[in-house]
Amino acid sequence: MLGVVVARAVFMGINPFAIGYLAVLFMEPKGRILAMVMVALGVITSMGTEGMIKYLIAIIVFSIIVSMIEYRSKKITIWSMSGLAAGVTIVLTCFYSTLSDNFLNNVVMGLAEGIIVFVSALVFHKGLEPVFHTRMKGEALSNEEIIGLATIGGVIIYGIPDMNALGFSLPLTCAMFCVLLIGFRYGAGFGAVIGAACGIIMALRTGELNQLGLMCMLGIISGSFREMGRIVDFLAYSGGFLILGELYKNSRFNLEGFGVLISCAVLFFLLPKNLVYGKSMKDTEREEDVYIHQNLQNIARGKLRDFSESFHNLSSTFHTFSEQKEELDKLDKRVLFDQLSEKLCKDCENCSYCWEGHFYETYEGAYRIMEQVNENGTISLNEIPGEFASRCICLNNFLEEAKRSIELARINMSWSNKLAQSRAAIAEQLGEVANIIDDFSMDLYKPSDDEEKSKKIATELRRNHIHVKKVAIFEKRDGKIEIYLTAKTDKGRCVTSKEAAGIIGKAYGKQMRPFDGCKKVIAKEMETFTFVEDTDYTVYTGFARMNKEKNPVSGDNYSFLNPDTGTFIMSLADGMGAGQGAYEESESVIELLEQFMEAGFRKESAIKLINSIMVLRDKEEGFSTIDLSILNLYTGYCDFIKMGAAATFLKKANEVEVIYSTSLPAGIVPKADYEIVTRKLYSGEFLVMATDGVVDCIPGEKKEEFIAEFLNDLKTNNPKEIANSILNMALEQNGWEPMDDMTVLVAGFWSKA
């Protein structure tokens, strides 16, 4: 029955999901006729006559070929079925292309449609496996089955008719509820992926490309607050929903937000707990996923890479349609020339005299006029070939029509380039989603097979009156260790988790500490505790800021963040201009950075996604610089990432290094323009980040060198005092009047040894 809705998912004039879904249904011999009828019904109700005939023929041809193959007692696998469906679609599209003028473009479109049919069939098959095959009671869905079901849900949302009543939008409500539920049930990683999938669907429905970034952001928000329960999670989700809706003023989030929120709230809170949380969520996540399903992680990693490859393929498909033109090519000019000549010369009384008696001279003269107008936008009479001017009795009309045709062609090229730019933005975001899935697969921890270490830890803990049920040691992607411990104390004793970390560290041979979210005390109840490898360095911070005169708020925003145990991030954003508008711009950038980095996104992916979101916003909303310092607290290496930001200063023992930037702020160009510089930090060194409001207060051309000399002469180890000293020095240099919003961030770096 869902085939009717899936087959209504038409975009860009094609309907690949109908054929892909039919291919999956044909894997089951029973019910094929009904499946054909339902898919055909969806095609008939959603497409025009020409497209309807094409896909109905494809359905019939596909079913005949499948029947012929099975008649010879040959079993068809899902790969063969998908390839067969894709082949039929490509052949029919190529046949239809012979009947149209734009043959080459239609052939390329047919190949792209065939690829989508093939990929969608494989994804749909994974999503429908729980329906086709009997499962053990309580058996959990695999990662690929969840993503497959989510993809089917997204296509169904796309195919639902857009019914609006009293602020209630059925497609948007379904999309928002899926993002909320999946993010809450499976976490920020799945929430981001599902948000991206639903965002693509809503972008295709509404034409608002910012839906992709918005949905992805909401999926992260839903997953980030899941541990606090349904009420807090929904409040955070609603807040993000309303803030993003206000941020993107032209989106459907504003127009239909109230009804959508009410609908999502009703569904979310009425669902039974077992559907929202899954089976014993805490036990499953902390014990079953840690101990019982360790061997499934390698399988999940491989499958996630397969899905990542699918998103990469979709990204490549969109890239094929995103080529932009800077100038009219030879084919464009030839078509314009033919149209112009036919329009003006066909009914002219001298047509035969010019084009038959003097063909070569007439052709050369007319073409030179077109070239001259194309290059300069106009042409004077003395630049027209004399023979052409003497023969043409409609010379003035010919010149005016040439100018008009060239101008119209340039306008069409400009709009085509804007459309190609939007496709390129979608392709970039699809590519980054693929990278996110790759990273997610790499973040699956590798279980350690060192039984001796586990036994030694358990023995040492028992000696200290801690009864251990299970010990699991995992190695992260960076080689660091996490230890999961299920334990309780004997005879009513209480032992702090910090004391237990010391015991575990001595037994394992590495300094350990309790994870930030871990309980502080091990008591008489059996519970699971997490211990992580302690860092070698620590950071202390300070800041100082000053608003531009008469502005109640600063256009600068900043953040100090620890997204995981071994990483410290200092971020600074400067919105263009000053006042409330600049504040909102920089605040949105900082909030997105925090969400992306806390969710575990790569720094490159976070920067590119933020840039693509800002590119698709209204230009009048301005831009923002991005200044990031990402410090590894294990190794001491720091990555400085800049997009249009002012210089960063690295204060060492006897010198100050200045790290410059020549890149553009975020949101100016479609492809993110950023620079990454890596430096090794040592104990006692300081990082100093400042906005251009601080640097611009220094007179002369060598502003950065002046600040570097001031820092080198500064004799204090207090980050707060350093920040205040720099701010006061800059104000003093400009007569104690701030030229712009001023912000200084300082981080002191020290070894724990």
Side-chain angles (χ1 to χ4, degrees):
M1 294 296 293
L2 294 177
V4 178
V5 185
V6 172
R8 290 180 49 83
V10 180
F11 68 100
M12 297 176 65
I14 60 176
N15 195 350
F17 297 125
I19 307 300
Y21 193 81
L22 183 66
V24 178
L25 296 181
F26 264 53
M27 292 300 296
E28 289 295 311
K30 296 181 179 180
R32 285 182 177 177
I33 295 178
L34 181 60
M36 290 174 59
V37 171
M38 292 301 177
V39 172
L41 183 60
V43 170
I44 292 170
T45 58
S46 62
M47 303 196 73
T49 303
E50 184 178 346
M52 177 185 70
I53 294 173
K54 169 189 167 182
Y55 288 101
L56 290 180
I57 293 174
I59 292 171
I60 295 170
V61 171
F62 173 72
S63 62
I64 292 173
I65 295 176
V66 171
S67 300
M68 291 174 62
I69 295 174
E70 291 182 339
Y71 182 77
R72 297 185 179 182
S73 301
K74 291 185 178 181
K75 186 177 180 180
I76 304 179
T77 64
I78 182 58
W79 289 88
S80 301
M81 193 76 79
S82 303
L84 180 59
V88 169
T89 304
I90 293 172
V91 170
L92 276 175
T93 303
C94 292
F95 173 76
Y96 267 70
S97 299
T98 60
L99 306 178
S100 64
D101 296 332
N102 201 346
F103 174 78
L104 182 59
N105 184 64
N106 288 335
V107 169
V108 173
M109 196 70 176
L111 292 174
E113 184 180 7
I115 293 173
I116 297 174
V117 169
F118 182 81
V119 173
S120 64
L122 296 178
V123 175
F124 289 165
H125 182 259
K126 286 297 180 183
L128 292 178
E129 274 190 345
V131 180
F132 287 156
H133 302 104
T134 304
R135 305 175 67 84
M136 295 176 60
K137 185 177 180 181
E139 183 180 353
L141 296 175
S142 64
N143 293 332
E144 57 268 29
E145 288 171 349
I146 292 172
I147 295 176
L149 284 170
T151 304
I152 295 173
V155 175
I156 291 172
I157 292 170
Y158 184 81
I160 293 175
D162 199 2
M163 298 178 293
N164 296 297
L166 301 176
F168 174 88
S169 170
L170 183 58
L172 184 59
T173 300
C174 293
M176 296 299 300
F177 178 71
C178 287
V179 173
L180 172 63
L181 180 62
I182 297 299
F184 181 82
R185 184 179 173 113
Y186 298 106
F190 273 115
V193 175
I194 300 304
C198 289
I200 293 170
I201 295 302
M202 294 307 299
L204 290 173
R205 281 188 65 99
T206 63
E208 298 173 9
L209 298 180
N210 55 26
Q211 297 279 2
L212 179 56
L214 294 173
M215 290 287 190
C216 186
M217 192 67 247
L218 289 175
I220 295 170
I221 293 174
S222 178
S224 300
F225 291 88
R226 61 196 295 255
E227 296 294 339
M228 298 182 183
R230 271 199 271 194
I231 296 177
V232 175
D233 188 89
F234 182 77
L235 290 176
Y237 186 82
S238 301
F241 182 90
L242 296 174
I243 291 171
L244 291 172
E246 182 64 22
L247 198 61
Y248 294 84
K249 299 184 182 301
N250 295 327
S251 72
R252 299 179 72 191
F253 279 41
N254 271 339
L255 303 177
E256 301 167 353
F258 185 74
V260 167
L261 280 180
I262 293 177
S263 306
C264 288
V266 172
L267 293 172
F268 189 59
F269 290 106
L270 289 182
L271 277 179
K273 285 188 175 181
N274 62 327
L275 293 179
V276 176
Y277 292 96
K279 182 183 177 181
S280 303
M281 185 181 75
K282 292 184 179 180
D283 294 337
T284 301
E285 289 186 354
R286 294 186 178 180
E287 296 187 29
E288 295 295 330
D289 287 347
V290 173
Y291 305 114
I292 299 177
H293 300 301
Q294 293 178 7
N295 294 330
L296 295 179
Q297 291 191 359
N298 290 331
I299 300 174
R301 185 179 290 114
K303 295 299 182 182
L304 284 172
R305 287 173 181 168
D306 291 340
F307 283 111
S308 171
E309 186 65 26
S310 298
F311 275 101
H312 277 303
N313 290 337
L314 286 173
S315 176
S316 300
T317 301
F318 273 95
H319 269 302
T320 60
F321 303 110
S322 59
E323 183 178 354
Q324 300 184 43
K325 293 182 180 180
E326 296 183 0
E327 293 291 341
L328 297 176
D329 56 27
K330 291 183 178 180
L331 179 60
D332 294 329
K333 288 185 283 188
R334 188 178 298 114
V335 171
L336 286 175
F337 174 75
D338 292 340
Q339 292 174 350
L340 181 62
S341 301
E342 183 178 358
K343 181 177 181 180
L344 292 179
C345 300
K346 182 178 180 181
D347 297 326
C348 179
E349 60 186 39
N350 278 5
C351 181
S352 59
Y353 174 74
C354 294
W355 289 100
E356 294 179 9
H358 300 83
F359 175 81
Y360 180 78
E361 294 84 355
T362 303
Y363 184 91
E364 183 182 17
Y367 199 80
R368 282 184 60 185
I369 291 174
M370 291 288 297
E371 288 285 348
Q372 188 70 21
V373 172
N374 181 46
E375 291 179 7
N376 303 326
T378 185
I379 186 171
S380 60
L381 292 176
N382 59 1
E383 293 176 313
I384 301 173
E387 294 184 3
F388 182 90
S390 63
R391 282 192 303 272
C392 183
I393 63 176
C394 301
L395 183 60
N396 291 331
N397 290 340
F398 193 94
L399 295 179
E400 290 300 324
E401 188 64 25
K403 294 177 185 178
R404 191 193 68 81
S405 298
I406 292 292
E407 183 63 27
L408 183 60
R410 289 185 179 278
I411 293 173
N412 290 336
M413 183 180 69
S414 175
W415 281 108
S416 296
N417 286 342
K418 289 182 179 180
L419 183 60
Q421 187 181 41
S422 298
R423 294 195 190 106
I426 292 178
E428 286 290 329
Q429 293 190 343
L430 285 172
E432 289 310 314
V433 170
N435 292 332
I436 291 167
I437 297 176
D438 280 333
D439 282 347
F440 182 69
S441 69
M442 294 298 296
D443 283 335
L444 295 174
Y445 295 171
K446 177 182 177 182
S448 173
D449 54 1
D450 193 343
E451 292 293 333
E452 292 298 323
K453 288 284 182 68
S454 299
K455 291 180 180 178
K456 187 175 181 180
I457 291 172
T459 301
E460 290 299 322
L461 289 171
R462 289 190 186 101
R463 289 177 181 173
N464 288 271
H465 311 290
I466 300 175
H467 177 69
V468 178
K469 181 180 180 182
K470 292 178 182 177
V471 176
I473 303 174
F474 288 89
E475 182 179 347
K476 297 194 294 184
R477 180 170 50 172
D478 58 2
K480 300 304 177 182
I481 298 300
E482 284 194 8
I483 297 176
Y484 292 81
L485 178 73
T486 303
K488 66 176 183 178
T489 55
D490 292 334
K491 300 179 181 179
R493 293 185 173 89
C494 287
V495 179
T496 65
S497 56
K498 187 174 182 180
E499 292 173 331
I503 299 169
I504 294 171
K506 290 180 181 179
Y508 192 85
K510 291 186 177 181
Q511 195 72 21
M512 305 295 293
R513 69 175 180 84
F515 184 67
D516 291 337
C518 181
K519 281 198 170 184
K520 304 299 181 184
V521 177
I522 303 176
K524 60 181 180 179
E525 298 293 333
M526 189 70 72
E527 293 183 89
T528 299
F529 299 83
T530 305
F531 300 90
V532 296
E533 193 172 337
D534 200 7
T535 58
D536 299 321
Y537 299 94
T538 188
V539 174
Y540 295 95
T541 61
F543 73 94
R545 62 193 316 194
M546 173 72 70
N547 296 355
K548 190 176 181 180
E549 188 177 2
K550 297 181 180 179
N551 282 326
V553 296
S554 173
D556 303 337
N557 268 283
Y558 67 93
S559 173
F560 299 115
L561 185 66
N562 288 98
D564 56 54
T565 305
T567 305
F568 172 78
I569 298 176
M570 189 161 60
S571 58
L572 181 60
D574 181 6
M576 294 298 100
Q580 186 66 30
Y583 167 78
E584 292 175 357
E585 197 72 28
S586 60
E587 182 187 40
S588 66
V589 168
I590 291 297
E591 288 179 350
L592 287 170
L593 276 172
E594 287 181 335
Q595 292 289 346
F596 286 148
M597 300 305 291
E598 285 181 341
F601 286 20
R602 294 186 311 161
K603 52 184 178 290
E604 295 86 356
S605 295
I607 291 293
K608 290 178 181 177
L609 283 172
I610 291 173
N611 185 73
S612 64
I613 290 172
M614 297 189 70
V615 164
L616 295 173
R617 294 172 59 179
D618 294 336
K619 294 297 182 183
E620 62 185 21
E621 293 187 37
F623 313 106
S624 175
T625 65
I626 298 178
D627 201 356
L628 278 177
S629 295
I630 304 177
L631 184 57
N632 189 314
L633 298 179
Y634 290 112
T635 64
Y637 281 96
C638 184
D639 291 330
F640 301 93
I641 306 174
K642 292 180 172 293
M643 291 187 71
T648 294
F649 303 89
L650 180 53
K651 178 176 169 58
K652 302 180 181 180
N654 299 313
E655 63 173 334
V656 175
E657 181 182 359
V658 183
I659 300 173
Y660 296 93
S661 171
T662 58
S663 58
L664 296 172
I668 293 182
V669 293
K671 188 173 182 179
D673 178 26
Y674 62 91
E675 299 166 325
I676 300 181
V677 178
T678 302
R679 292 289 185 270
K680 169 71 175 177
L681 271 63
Y682 298 93
S683 183
E685 297 183 349
F686 294 87
L687 292 178
V688 179
M689 296 167 58
T691 57
D692 57 3
V694 176
V695 178
D696 291 342
C697 283
I698 308 300
E701 296 183 355
K702 298 183 178 181
K703 304 176 185 293
E704 290 82 4
E705 289 79 354
F706 184 91
I707 297 176
E709 291 180 6
F710 176 80
L711 279 171
N712 197 36
D713 296 336
L714 201 59
K715 305 300 181 184
T716 178
N717 288 329
N718 188 315
K720 179 65 175 177
E721 291 182 4
I722 294 175
N724 286 329
S725 298
I726 295 173
L727 184 66
N728 290 331
M729 178 273 294
L731 287 170
E732 184 180 6
Q733 293 295 316
N734 198 51
W736 298 98
E737 292 186 5
M739 296 184 64
D740 195 359
D741 296 318
M742 305 170 67
T743 303
V744 182
L745 306 182
V746 180
F749 184 72
W750 282 278
S751 172
K752 290 184 178 180

